[in-house]
Amino acid sequence: MSDLLTMLHDHDLPPKWDDRAVVWEGWEYAPSGVFICPAPKPDVCEGCGMPTMERGFPCWSTNKGLRADSTRLTLDDFHAEEAARARLPWRVQGKMPRHWWIELHAFRCHHCSLDSVWDTTSGGWWTLDHTDYGDDGSVAP
Ligand SMILES: [Zn+2]
């Protein structure tokens, strides 16, 4: 499942995307997620050539990324914002301004662990390589 480069990753997924901090919600194997976000997933994995669907079930896990709307925000800001929101009464929590948005969806192949990321704001698909897992995250070439 994991090769040497995978083990050398500083981060499980890029902590930044185009200079903006990203908070990943965590991996889930959820076929229902496919229907929530109908991303144009290719039929076979780019990394290993295995089919991305088997007997109607996806062969990948998904992870949603909340991206900051400013390059000035850090992960500490995210946790402070979440803590402040949690202290509010439930019915006004939604009125607090948000600075983090689910804009990225990561997909990890169950066969070779290749990560692809779908940027919903640009509609682009990105296949990650080991340089994307450093502290600077993924930056446009
Ligand atoms: Zn694969």
Side-chain angles (χ1 to χ4, degrees), residues 79-111:
H79 293 300
E81 192 178 313
E82 289 296 291
R85 194 189 317 279
R87 285 194 293 271
L88 292 173
W90 177 81
R91 60 180 198 288
V92 295
Q93 284 182 1
K95 295 190 174 127
M96 193 175 144
R98 284 197 166 270
H99 300 287
W100 301 77
W101 306 92
I102 295 174
E103 293 179 341
L104 302 171
H105 295 268
F107 299 82
R108 178 166 291 172
C109 175
H110 284 182
H111 301 291

Side-chain angles (χ1 to χ4, degrees), residues 9-126:
H9 287 172
D10 291 331
H11 301 275
D12 185 46
L13 280 167
K16 286 185 180 181
W17 198 265
D18 293 343
D19 282 334
R20 286 188 280 153
V22 179
V23 176
W24 296 97
E25 292 198 330
W27 290 105
E28 54 186 339
Y29 177 71
S32 59
V34 179
F35 305 111
I36 294 165
C37 35
K41 188 84 181 140
D43 292 340
V44 293
C45 172
E46 196 180 309
C48 62
M50 296 289 281
T52 51
M53 297 286 285
E54 239 167 41
R55 293 183 293 277
F57 292 97
C59 302
W60 68 82
S61 297
T62 62
N63 200 332
K64 291 195 271 294
L66 289 132
R67 179 165 52 179
D69 61 13
S70 159
T71 55
R72 287 174 293 118
L73 294 169
T74 66
L75 294 192
D76 287 342
D77 295 323
F78 173 79
H79 293 300
E81 192 178 313
E82 289 296 291
R85 194 189 317 279
R87 285 194 293 271
L88 292 173
W90 177 81
R91 60 180 198 288
V92 295
Q93 284 182 1
K95 295 190 174 127
M96 193 175 144
R98 284 197 166 270
H99 300 287
W100 301 77
W101 306 92
I102 295 174
E103 293 179 341
L104 302 171
H105 295 268
F107 299 82
R108 178 166 291 172
C109 175
H110 284 182
H111 301 291
C112 69
S113 298
L114 182 81
D115 290 329
S116 316
V117 174
W118 179 39
D119 183 342
T120 60
T121 54
S122 70
W125 274 92
W126 305 93

